[in-house]
């Protein structure tokens, strides 16, 4: 596999299609290495891959009428077999029987080229909101 920004972008977009509803959770989780770590904008601790999958499963289990994470202005940087994706995002959604959620943030994904699988794999995901709480716009 050629390790350049185009192949990294393709892998990122395929995995993150989960957040727009055009791919399943497995597509996202398969992008991440078993040892990957996650910092989610609405969770209080660092998560491993299993805990992140459980956390996303919670969100998929009927507590939202609609939910979408949209990435924009992504940047893809590759140095050798290491890649970093940095992108702005907007998380928007409507919880069941409640107001709405609208959060803007910056996401960072650190990746490496897995020569055994001949594909990009991610080691970390950080979702950092630009503002941590919007009063009276989201339950809780």
């Amino acid at each position: 596999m050629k390790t350049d920004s185009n192949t990294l972008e393709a892998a990122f977009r395929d995995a993150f299609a989960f957040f727009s509803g055009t791919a399943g959770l497995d597509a996202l989780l398969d992008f991440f290495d078993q040892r990957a770590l996650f910092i989610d904008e609405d969770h209080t601790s660092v998560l491993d891959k299993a805990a992140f999958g459980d956390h996303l499963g919670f969100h998929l289990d009927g507590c939202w009428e609609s939910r979408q994470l949209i990435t924009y202005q992504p940047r893809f940087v590759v140095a050798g077999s290491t890649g970093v994706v940095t992108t702005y995002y907007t998380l928007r959604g409507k919880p069941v029987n409640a107001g709405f959620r609208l959060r803007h943030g910056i996401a960072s994904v650190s990746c490496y080229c897995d020569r055994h699988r001949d594909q990009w794999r991610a080691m970390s995901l950080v979702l950092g909101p630009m503002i941590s709480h919007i009063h009276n716009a989201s339950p809780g």
Side-chain angles (χ1 to χ4, degrees), residues 41-109:
E41 55 94 28
D42 72 337
H43 205 278
T44 59
S45 60
V46 177
L47 304 171
D48 62 15
K49 186 174 177 176
F52 185 65
D54 288 346
H55 179 66
L56 291 176
F58 164 78
H59 285 289
L60 294 172
D61 196 25
C63 61
W64 292 89
E65 290 179 24
S66 64
R67 188 169 195 257
Q68 189 175 40
L69 185 138
I70 302 159
T71 61
Y72 55 98
Q73 296 180 354
R75 295 187 182 141
F76 303 91
V77 177
V78 174
S81 62
T82 302
V84 176
V85 180
T86 304
T87 183
Y88 294 104
Y89 71 85
T90 297
L91 173 64
R92 63 184 185 188
K94 166 97 177 64
V96 173
N97 299 321
F100 68 93
R101 179 173 288 180
L102 182 64
R103 290 190 183 147
H104 305 284
I106 297 173
S108 180
V109 184

Side-chain angles (χ1 to χ4, degrees), residues 8 12 15 17 23 28 42 63 91 112 123:
L8 178 58
F12 172 81
L28 175 69
D42 72 337
C63 61
L91 173 64
Y112 71 96
M123 286 302 298

Side-chain angles (χ1 to χ4, degrees), residues 17-30:
F18 162 76
F19 289 112
S20 64
T22 59
L25 179 57
D26 288 344
L28 175 69
L29 293 178
D30 286 347

Side-chain angles (χ1 to χ4, degrees), residues 1-9 11-12 31-32 75-86 107-115 119-125:
M1 176 182 78
K2 187 175 181 183
T3 56
D4 61 16
S5 60
N6 291 327
T7 58
L8 178 58
E9 179 177 358
F12 172 81
F31 179 56
F32 288 92
R75 295 187 182 141
F76 303 91
V77 177
V78 174
S81 62
T82 302
V84 176
V85 180
T86 304
S108 180
V109 184
S110 300
C111 304
Y112 71 96
C113 180
D114 183 340
R115 299 289 183 195
Q119 67 187 68
W120 284 104
R121 304 295 306 277
M123 286 302 298
S124 67
L125 168 64

